[in-house]
Amino acid sequence: DGGITQSPKYLFRKEGQNVTLSCEQNLNHDAMYWYRQDPGQGLRLIYYSQIVNDFQKGDIAEGYSVSREKKESFPLTVTSAQKNPTAFYLCASSRGGTYNEQFFGPGTRLTVL
Amino acid sequence: QKEVEQNSGPLSVPEGAIASLNCTYSDRGSQSFFWYRQYSGKSPELIMFIYSNGDKEDGRFTAQLNKASQYVSLLIRDSQPSDSATYLCAVIAGGTSYGKLTFGQGTILTVHP
């Protein structure tokens, strides 16, 4: 089955701790994205990567970091510098080029205690 | 002015009726338009995309794009209770980095039997 997986589904973190969210895709997509969704709001772009070993900041990158060492994987680290990290985090991918349709993984719900 | 705005909702329609969801965008150079469906607690699911002026139909769904009026809509014919969800409009604005989606805040649709 082709798709996007995210783990864990739920994550609890104490204030001051860094945490890494996993995103893996086996769709052979070139581009990958991380979004954040807060209750009752649309999605906001954190980081995106169009190709391996390259990534760009989105609208709300402060307090987050990413890496793209493999085509299939785009992990997101939420650092202690992120002031309001409690949110629903969504990873997406697309084929790239002229194919802009983005497909989402199931998401990780992060709660800071 | 928000970059992508959706009718505030919530929208309630009876089963079998046509549900009409609207979205306006501020960037006249926007090039790609998407509708996602999001069930409560789940990730967004791509249901329609449209790139050219006019109508695009897929089953019970029709997307309509009017670039002159900066308006995109989604019609759902023969609405079913299973269509009850939040519908997100997303746009790739002109001149932005490749694949950068900007989302509206979503419209909640309820289809009652």
Side-chain angles (χ1 to χ4, degrees):
Chain A
D1 274 342
I4 305 172
T5 58
Q6 291 186 244
S7 61
K9 186 174 181 179
Y10 298 97
L11 187 57
F12 298 89
R13 189 196 90 176
K14 292 182 180 179
E15 279 194 31
Q17 289 181 336
N18 292 355
V19 64
T20 297
L21 281 57
S22 168
C23 177
E24 304 275 335
Q25 54 97 1
N26 61 3
L27 301 169
N28 200 32
H29 284 176
D30 284 321
M32 298 186 75
Y33 312 81
W34 274 106
Y35 293 88
R36 167 185 174 139
Q37 187 176 34
D38 294 283
Q41 297 190 30
L43 282 65
R44 293 182 290 167
L45 182 66
I46 304 172
Y47 267 98
Y48 65 101
S49 168
Q50 298 181 33
I51 197 168
V52 175
N53 292 323
D54 186 54
F55 50 83
Q56 287 80 40
K57 293 181 179 180
D59 297 321
I60 55 166
E62 185 176 351
Y64 299 98
S65 66
V66 294
S67 62
R68 186 84 189 277
E69 297 176 2
K70 298 188 299 181
K71 186 175 184 178
E72 301 80 16
S73 178
F74 191 40
L76 174 74
T77 296
V78 184
T79 75
S80 57
Q82 169 50 232
K83 290 183 170 49
N84 297 297
T86 295
F88 189 35
Y89 289 87
L90 291 154
C91 178
S93 69
S94 68
R95 283 190 284 177
T98 58
Y99 300 99
N100 293 317
E101 302 87 47
Q102 293 182 24
F103 300 92
F104 285 85
T108 292
R109 201 167 295 276
L110 173 64
T111 302
V112 175
L113 303 173
Chain B
Q1 181 189 5
K2 292 182 181 177
E3 293 180 60
V4 180
E5 290 202 58
Q6 299 184 235
N7 45 340
S8 56
L11 179 64
S12 181
V13 301
E15 185 174 356
I18 295 175
S20 177
L21 302 157
N22 304 317
C23 176
T24 58
Y25 56 94
S26 60
D27 186 338
R28 188 168 288 278
S30 296
Q31 50 191 293
S32 306
F33 307 86
F34 305 86
W35 282 100
Y36 287 85
R37 177 176 62 197
Q38 187 175 26
Y39 292 114
S40 181
K42 302 296 185 182
S43 63
E45 174 192 6
L46 180 64
I47 54 172
M48 289 289 286
F49 59 91
I50 186 167
Y51 299 151
S52 303
N53 269 332
D55 294 359
K56 179 182 178 181
E57 187 175 316
D58 184 1
R60 294 187 297 112
F61 298 101
T62 299
Q64 299 175 316
L65 175 60
N66 184 327
K67 289 188 177 180
S69 299
Q70 296 174 238
Y71 177 95
V72 57
S73 66
L74 179 70
L75 301 178
I76 306 174
R77 291 182 301 282
D78 189 23
S79 295
Q80 301 297 310
S82 58
D83 293 327
S84 298
T86 298
Y87 288 80
L88 298 167
C89 172
V91 174
I92 293 180
T96 61
S97 299
Y98 167 75
K100 180 181 180 296
L101 283 175
T102 300
F103 284 83
Q105 76 278 18
T107 299
I108 298 172
L109 171 66
T110 301
V111 181
H112 53 88

